Amino acid sequence: MNRGAPFGYTQGVDDVRVWRYEARRAGRHLLAAPPLVAAALLCTGMALPGAGFTGGWLTRVVLPLVAGLTTAAVAVGEPAFELHSSLPTSLRTTLARRVALLGACTMIGAVALALALVPAAAAVERLATVGGLAALMMGVGVWAAVALGSVAGASTVVLAAWFADLFVLDRMLPSTAARLVSYLLPAAVLAARAAYLLGGDRDLSEGARR
């Protein structure tokens, strides 16, 4: 029997406590990874003006890779998948909240990297490329995690997509606008596909142990 507040549980709670709970379940170390990577790039001078080609390249690609890998870990990190079948909140909603938290942390890192170039116009280009590629890697990460049910398998797919961007998209699409479209459209499709697969609260508990 569910007792009344403050002694029992209340359904429909939708405030900061929900997000704090999801942050704990997602793993605060995973949520902190993108901002910490951005801070490391800034502290080492790689993200600062005058860092040269190597600094600019690392700044563009490292944060999105970390975002994709951490997304895969967050999506397969729930140990109590069977429990969600008896809860009013679906697994799809739960994972969407956790990925959204990771996305917000990733954008904090991307904005910090872009601010390093202010007031130059290159700041906007950096924000678009870093944020766009991060969105693609996160889309790949969540789809692969749901489809494969394995952190190792999903991480491999993220790495493959990352290398594909470096050696294919980056060379074929030099325009920032074209590159941004090529990032965001597949990211949206992959996220929608992952949501579809989770529609029946797909059981990932076996994959979560691999």
Side-chain angles (χ1 to χ4, degrees), residues 18-106:
V18 172
W19 295 102
R20 290 174 62 183
Y21 170 80
E22 297 296 3
R24 291 196 303 270
R25 300 298 298 175
R28 290 174 177 170
H29 61 294
L30 294 176
L31 298 180
L36 288 177
V37 168
L41 290 169
L42 291 169
C43 291
T44 57
M46 290 294 180
L48 300 179
F53 173 80
T54 301
W57 181 81
L58 287 175
T59 300
R60 186 180 75 82
V61 302
V62 172
L63 179 61
L65 176 61
V66 172
L69 295 175
T70 51
T71 299
V74 167
V76 194
E78 174 56 62
F81 285 94
E82 294 85 355
L83 180 62
H84 282 274
S85 62
S86 63
L87 295 178
T89 301
S90 67
L91 178 59
R92 176 168 53 187
T93 300
T94 297
L95 291 184
R97 288 172 177 169
R98 296 176 188 177
V99 173
L101 285 171
L102 181 58
C105 293
T106 300

Side-chain angles (χ1 to χ4, degrees), residues 129-149:
T129 54
V130 174
L133 182 56
L136 176 59
M137 293 298 103
M138 292 181 69
V140 172
V142 71
W143 167 78
V146 172
L148 301 177

Side-chain angles (χ1 to χ4, degrees), residues 184-198:
L184 296 183
L185 285 181
V189 171
L190 290 170
R193 180 60 182 169
Y196 172 79
L197 292 175
L198 285 170

Side-chain angles (χ1 to χ4, degrees), residues 1-4 7-11:
M1 181 176 179
N2 187 24
R3 302 174 63 189
F7 303 103
Y9 299 102
T10 57
Q11 296 184 356

